[in-house]
Amino acid sequence: MRSEHRTTPVRSRERSTVTSATAVAHPNIALIKYWGKRDEHLVLPWTDSLSMTLDIFPTTTRVRLAPEAEHDEVTLDGVPVAGEARRRVVAFLELVRERAGLPQRAVVETENTVPTGAGLASSASGFAALAVAAASTYGLDLDATALSRLARRGSGSASRSIFGGFALWHAGRHTGTATDTDLSSYAEPVPAGGLDPALVIAVVDAGPKAVPSREAMRRTVETSPLYRPWAASSKDDLVGMREALRRADLDAVGEVAERNALGMHATMLAARPAVRYLSAATLTVLDSVLRLRRDGTPAYATMDAGPNVKVLCRRADAERVAEAVRGTVPGCSVHIAGPGPGARLLNEGG
Ligand code: 2P0
């Protein structure tokens, strides 16, 4: 079902469209995971999720109107994008054009600094930046909540990258009209004052993933006997996570995040056929996290749709954690991230 409603006022095209706009957004790492959609077209998840937006690996996207063009042109790091990736960007632009009532095609130029397709959430920063830049270029006057809903339609996790720091993405109402459910699913910031966290990102493999997360999610929901129990326990995890953030209790945040991520991977391992993103190198890094904890350094692991490991720790311990992780896997690159900013417009040309 198409959602043709307008979520916020749309300015007249004469007054507010610009020739081009550029936006920057950062990836986010979920501490309570999003895994599984109840509506693929509207990108509505089964569960709430909660993430930290990073201060590294920004994506910068420029959207320029191309009045004479018959097709959209999409490039990533200067190279034309084809196939499924292009189809998703064009479908997103169609949604924006439909809401704006403006048929013009666009040139979309994206510069990514995160290894694409490595389970490091490049689609989150990518569609958050695209949502902000495209909304501006096509003259949609959207507040942050509406931008979060719009970014969600490109990629679920992008709804969270609209915001800096910690963000909670509401699964939204499960009943009602498509309009009701669409409006009820968006991200919002979560206060976490007093916490001074870092995520140490161990990239053990920067290559593209074997199974796209979209397909892996679908297979998990449809075939894994562990999916429903995990989704139910994730509700409790979110309650625990919010309480731990409120208390600025890093150990509690880490414990909940680690069990939520391991549970998500358990759902995939039980899917038919199994989806296994965790590699031998992943387990080696997980062992080093256990050793750190045993030796008295609070460090907790989370993994996404890939073999790379993100280790939550105190900012003050980040260098030591990075050092411990770096030595464990040959060729592993390690990055330290803190909480980063929300998506924003860089300029408006025209
Ligand atoms: C997350 N992941 O919460 C989870 C944990 C991966 C594992 O969001 O189909 O690229 O575009 O909505 O957002 C990856 O999924 O999926 C993801 P779509 P997305 O960060």
Side-chain angles (χ1 to χ4, degrees):
M1 192 184 291
R2 307 287 299 189
S3 91
E4 298 192 339
H5 60 283
R6 290 192 167 129
T7 52
T8 57
V10 177
R11 290 194 220 129
S12 82
R13 72 187 67 158
E14 289 76 19
R15 273 190 290 116
S16 62
T17 51
V18 292
T19 306
S20 74
T22 303
V24 63
H26 290 74
N28 67 77
I29 300 298
L31 302 178
I32 301 291
K33 302 298 188 186
Y34 149 51
W35 196 251
K37 296 179 189 63
R38 64 181 201 277
D39 186 317
E40 296 230 354
H41 177 66
L42 292 174
V43 192
L44 296 170
W46 278 109
T47 60
D48 296 345
S49 56
L50 190 149
S51 61
M52 186 179 105
T53 298
L54 308 184
D55 60 356
I56 61 172
F57 297 147
T59 296
T60 305
T61 296
R62 180 171 185 235
V63 176
R64 182 159 51 88
L65 292 181
E68 311 302 326
E70 286 183 21
H71 304 286
D72 296 308
E73 189 186 308
V74 184
T75 63
L76 177 59
D77 298 328
V79 178
V81 172
E84 175 63 10
R86 181 190 144 78
R87 191 200 62 74
R88 281 177 65 174
V89 170
V90 171
F92 187 83
L93 291 171
E94 288 296 346
L95 182 66
V96 172
R97 280 192 279 263
E98 182 183 296
R99 290 194 187 174
L102 202 62
Q104 293 174 19
R105 307 290 127 177
V107 175
V108 178
E109 296 160 303
T110 292
E111 304 290 333
N112 240 351
T113 56
V114 60
T116 301
L120 283 176
S122 59
S123 70
S125 53
F127 277 101
L130 179 61
V132 171
S136 175
T137 304
Y138 281 91
L140 297 178
D141 187 11
L142 306 181
D143 64 14
T145 304
L147 282 169
S148 175
R149 284 189 199 104
L150 177 62
R152 188 197 83 219
R153 295 290 298 273
S155 188
S157 53
S159 65
R160 301 185 307 235
S161 274
I162 294 296
F163 298 98
F166 291 86
L168 165 62
W169 172 22
H170 298 281
R173 281 194 295 276
H174 286 218
T175 54
T177 64
T179 303
D180 287 341
T181 51
D182 180 27
L183 287 175
S184 66
S185 184
Y186 55 86
E188 64 182 357
V190 174
L195 202 67
D196 194 13
L199 278 166
V200 174
I201 300 173
V203 181
V204 299
D205 181 356
K209 52 191 130 195
V211 188
S213 59
R214 202 156 263 210
E215 183 188 329
M217 261 184 223
R218 186 183 306 133
R219 193 190 301 170
T220 305
V221 172
E222 288 174 359
T223 71
S224 175
L226 299 189
Y227 184 70
R228 280 176 186 278
W230 173 78
S233 70
S234 199
K235 284 195 173 66
D236 299 332
D237 286 346
L238 182 67
V239 173
M241 177 62 72
R242 297 198 72 169
E243 175 59 21
L245 288 173
R246 200 186 55 72
R247 294 198 315 267
D249 181 342
L250 185 110
D251 286 288
V253 169
E255 275 168 27
V256 175
E258 193 172 284
R259 72 172 181 240
N260 187 267
L262 289 170
M264 177 189 72
H265 284 277
T267 69
M268 297 181 213
L269 291 169
R272 293 156 197 192
V275 178
R276 184 172 64 83
Y277 288 121
L278 311 183
S279 67
T282 310
L283 299 183
T284 302
V285 176
L286 291 182
D287 279 347
S288 75
V289 172
L290 279 184
R291 274 197 301 278
L292 278 162
R293 277 218 294 272
R294 216 173 287 141
D295 295 343
T297 302
Y300 300 89
T302 185
M303 295 80 65
D304 296 294
N308 303 314
V309 183
K310 296 90 181 184
V311 185
L312 180 75
C313 62
R314 290 185 217 292
R315 175 76 92 162
D317 292 333
E319 290 292 346
R320 188 147 43 92
V321 169
E323 204 47 50
V325 166
R326 189 177 287 122
T328 56
V329 176
C332 161
S333 68
V334 178
H335 310 265
I336 297 176
R344 71 196 161 94
L345 217 46
L346 287 185
N347 63 5
E348 288 200 0

